[in-house]
Amino acid sequence: DAKTTQPPSMDCAEGRAANLPCNHSTISGNEYVYWYRQIHSQGPQYIIHGLKNNETNEMASLIITEDRKSSTLILPHATLRDTAVYYCIVSSTGANSKLTFGKGITLSVRP
Amino acid sequence: DTAVSQTPKYLVTQMGNDKSIKCEQNLGHDTMYWYKQDSKKFLKIMFSYNNKELIINETVPNRFSPKSPDKAHLNLHINSLELGDSAVYFCASSPRGAGNTIYFGEGSWLTVV
């Protein structure tokens, strides 16, 4: 599976949009971009995933560049409860595929 | 109505003991997993089972033995516990055809002393 690069940390003000970047320049054609987050002392939580089109759900939006070498997770109105480690993962979806978690990016939402 | 539940949540035990962590999911998913998160917070897959069949077995010491009595349960048994086994163990599940859309439990904190 392709590797991803994320900044170690970022912060944003409560109520503002949080834009979390991720680079995946070696992504293959059949690999999806997944985002998970882990709030302190909790299990990881699935957020969203996409192949090449932009995706939106009730939690976030995922913007994937046309060349698919990078993506941005957008939390439109960050709250204090969004403070967590966010993982960007690239993975295929075959039977033997697996999620390889990196260090992620620590998002701190400030009041 | 917890989706993926693990027991116990906390476990402190002595080196050399044998312990088990149980996991149950009520989501009707076909695939279940065990992940380990060490003290450096890296989260790594250990095993995955699809409908009781072992699919992924990462390089894990054979002291770790998963057991899936049915597709809703995946228990983790650990023999001869070592200090380095101290970690948080997460059980997870995913539905058929969902790729890597995985639902995690709340974790089991294992401390070996």
Side-chain angles (χ1 to χ4, degrees):
Chain A
D1 291 334
K3 293 182 68 173
T4 64
T5 304
Q6 301 176 255
S9 63
M10 66 176 290
D11 64 16
C12 75
E14 188 177 19
R16 303 298 293 270
N19 297 308
L20 286 70
C22 180
N23 288 323
H24 30 78
S25 58
T26 60
I27 191 170
S28 300
N30 67 340
E31 289 181 319
Y32 286 72
V33 180
Y34 286 85
W35 282 84
Y36 281 76
R37 74 179 182 182
Q38 188 173 22
I39 296 170
H40 182 62
S41 296
Q42 296 184 20
Q45 177 187 23
Y46 165 79
I47 300 173
I48 198 167
H49 75 284
L51 183 62
K52 54 182 179 181
N53 297 323
N54 297 337
E55 302 288 344
T56 295
N57 62 20
E58 65 278 5
M59 290 183 68
S61 294
L62 174 60
I63 309 298
I64 304 174
T65 58
E66 192 169 344
D67 64 7
R68 302 210 319 124
K69 292 184 177 182
S70 65
S71 61
T72 301
L73 180 75
I74 301 173
L75 307 178
H77 305 287
T79 70
L80 298 179
R81 288 177 294 180
D82 291 323
T83 293
V85 179
Y86 287 77
Y87 299 96
C88 170
I89 305 166
V90 171
S91 178
S92 60
T93 58
N96 294 333
S97 65
K98 58 181 184 264
L99 293 177
T100 301
F101 287 79
K103 295 181 180 180
I105 178 172
T106 299
L107 172 68
S108 299
V109 180
R110 60 180 188 275
Chain B
D1 59 346
T2 304
V4 182
S5 59
Q6 311 176 214
T7 56
K9 187 173 177 65
Y10 300 100
L11 181 57
V12 180
T13 188
Q14 291 186 328
M15 286 175 52
N17 283 350
D18 302 338
K19 291 295 177 184
S20 293
I21 305 172
K22 296 184 177 181
C23 178
E24 175 182 7
Q25 55 95 2
N26 62 4
L27 298 167
H29 291 170
D30 288 326
T31 306
M32 295 187 71
Y33 311 80
W34 277 107
Y35 280 78
K36 177 181 179 180
Q37 189 165 37
D38 59 24
S39 57
K40 296 183 179 179
K41 302 299 183 182
F42 286 111
L43 193 61
K44 295 182 180 179
I45 189 170
M46 301 173 69
F47 305 100
S48 79
Y49 271 70
N50 185 273
N51 216 356
K52 302 195 300 177
E53 179 184 350
L54 181 65
I55 300 298
I56 293 175
N57 184 348
E58 291 294 283
T59 307
V60 177
N62 56 17
R63 297 182 295 104
F64 290 78
S65 54
K67 285 186 171 50
S68 181
D70 55 62
K71 75 172 192 177
H73 296 83
L74 182 61
N75 304 322
L76 183 64
H77 189 74
I78 314 171
N79 289 328
S80 303
L81 279 156
E82 300 176 356
L83 294 177
D85 296 332
S86 296
V88 185
Y89 293 85
F90 290 98
C91 179
S93 70
S94 64
R96 182 187 309 175
N100 280 308
T101 303
I102 298 176
Y103 298 81
F104 286 82
E106 291 301 302
S108 294
W109 272 252
L110 172 64
T111 302
V112 182
V113 296

